[in-house]
Amino acid sequence: MRRVRTLGQYTTDAEAVRVLRAVLPLLGSQVPGTERRELAERLPREAAVLLAEGTAARPLTAREFVEAAAERLGGVAPAPARWDVGSVLAVLGEDTGGGGDDLGDRLLAALPRGYALLFGRAELTAAA
């Protein structure tokens, strides 16, 4: 939570927790079982519980994800919602990248195109 508070420049722990409570269940609803379990194992217990709360009827595009987060955050505008989503996912991106077992790459491969920027990564595509 502290890293989300710092990266998101939230003035209180309560703000960071509010954002985590909105974003993590939503992310959990979009990530397949194996990656979801591995991600949960790397998170503090409170965050892992939030990740496990989400269920989705269908995959959301990155834009739809931000819009859904905006609703969960009380109907905030898209720009602040994108900031909030990015603050959480960028911290997760730091925690899941690198090494021989790059969970971050597998998460992005399991999500629709467009999520990489939310995780603080460039989205590279092959030239046609």
Side-chain angles (χ1 to χ4, degrees), residues 62-100:
R63 181 179 179 166
E64 291 170 330
F65 186 90
V66 170
E67 290 169 353
E71 285 181 31
R72 292 178 63 96
L73 289 162
V76 300
R82 191 199 179 294
W83 178 267
D84 293 338
V85 168
S87 296
V88 174
L89 298 189
V91 169
L92 292 180
E94 291 171 1
D95 292 346
T96 59

Side-chain angles (χ1 to χ4, degrees), residues 15-125:
E15 282 182 277
V17 168
R18 182 178 72 86
V19 170
L20 284 164
R21 286 184 178 154
V23 174
L24 287 178
L26 195 56
L27 178 64
S29 74
Q30 298 299 302
V31 176
T34 301
E35 286 78 14
R36 186 176 177 175
R37 280 189 300 281
E38 286 183 47
L39 179 57
E41 289 172 2
R42 297 182 190 197
L43 296 175
R45 182 172 168 18
E46 300 83 15
V49 167
L50 292 172
L51 189 72
E53 290 178 1
T55 57
R58 66 176 181 81
L60 299 175
T61 66
R63 181 179 179 166
E64 291 170 330
F65 186 90
V66 170
E67 290 169 353
E71 285 181 31
R72 292 178 63 96
L73 289 162
V76 300
R82 191 199 179 294
W83 178 267
D84 293 338
V85 168
S87 296
V88 174
L89 298 189
V91 169
L92 292 180
E94 291 171 1
D95 292 346
T96 59
D101 176 32
D102 195 352
L103 176 57
D105 286 345
R106 290 186 285 127
L107 286 171
L108 290 175
L111 294 166
R113 283 202 53 197
Y115 278 80
L117 291 175
L118 297 175
F119 278 87
R121 294 184 177 197
E123 184 154 20
L124 304 176
T125 58

